[in-house]
Amino acid sequence: MPKPLFSKLVAVAAIGFLCLLGGSVYGLSTGDRILLMLSILIGACSLIRFLLLLRDIRSGSYYVLSGICVKREPSLFKKSQQITFKSDEGKEYHFTFEKSIKLLEGHHYRLYFRKNSSSTEAIGSSASDLLGFEEAISSVNNS
């Protein structure tokens, strides 16, 4: 299992568990039924999200795009940025990601995307399809 996907699984599980635990303890100690129900609902939704993501990862229903970040253009008044990515096969992709995703120009990355069954194109340009990314050590020797 790739490290970025494992990290996402751990984060989803931890958030769900902590919301469930903290909200339930506080809700029971204060007698707040609404907080208790919301905590249980958040925990259940996190569990469902965890199980669906685990199923997708185990079945291999994700794409791996390996290549170099060619250009990164942050938008001035938006919370997004334009990324130009060149795959190892030479194909160029243009993505719109949140500014919190820090891809550096000239660095080699592996991007993990969710397979979209409704789309004919393998990799969508939407940030919602991005499962994670990791910097990869380039295997190209400069001789």
Side-chain angles (χ1 to χ4, degrees):
M1 179 180 310
K3 185 179 178 183
L5 301 182
F6 179 73
S7 298
K8 187 165 187 150
L9 271 177
V10 169
V12 167
I15 289 169
F17 177 73
L18 292 175
C19 285
L20 178 65
L21 181 68
S24 297
V25 167
Y26 188 76
L28 287 173
S29 67
T30 61
D32 189 351
R33 289 185 180 177
I34 294 175
L35 181 62
L36 180 62
M37 295 307 286
L38 287 175
S39 300
I40 292 170
L41 185 64
I42 290 173
C45 289
S46 294
L47 177 65
I48 291 169
R49 186 172 180 201
F50 173 83
L51 292 173
L52 290 174
L53 185 59
L54 182 64
R55 182 198 64 187
D56 288 345
I57 292 171
R58 288 214 172 151
S59 67
S61 61
Y62 59 89
Y63 292 105
V64 180
L65 180 62
S66 185
I68 296 175
C69 177
V70 178
K71 188 174 17 171
R72 178 179 176 234
E73 297 176 349
S75 302
L76 285 177
F77 301 109
K78 295 182 181 177
K79 294 181 181 180
S80 63
Q81 61 183 338
Q82 300 295 321
I83 302 285
T84 303
F85 195 81
K86 187 172 184 180
S87 70
D88 291 339
E89 292 82 32
K91 189 172 179 183
E92 202 166 272
Y93 296 90
H94 301 281
F95 300 110
T96 302
F97 293 144
E98 296 175 1
K99 285 186 178 178
S100 62
I101 297 175
K102 303 290 184 194
L103 298 178
L104 302 174
E105 291 181 20
H107 288 240
H108 195 267
Y109 292 98
R110 274 195 286 289
L111 306 176
Y112 298 91
F113 291 93
R114 177 178 288 120
K115 282 186 182 178
N116 192 353
S117 60
S118 63
S119 173
T120 56
E121 191 166 322
I123 298 172
S125 63
S126 155
S128 64
D129 292 337
L130 182 69
L131 292 173
F133 68 94
E134 66 183 340
E135 189 168 359
I137 299 172
S138 181
S139 61
V140 177
N141 293 329
N142 295 331
S143 305

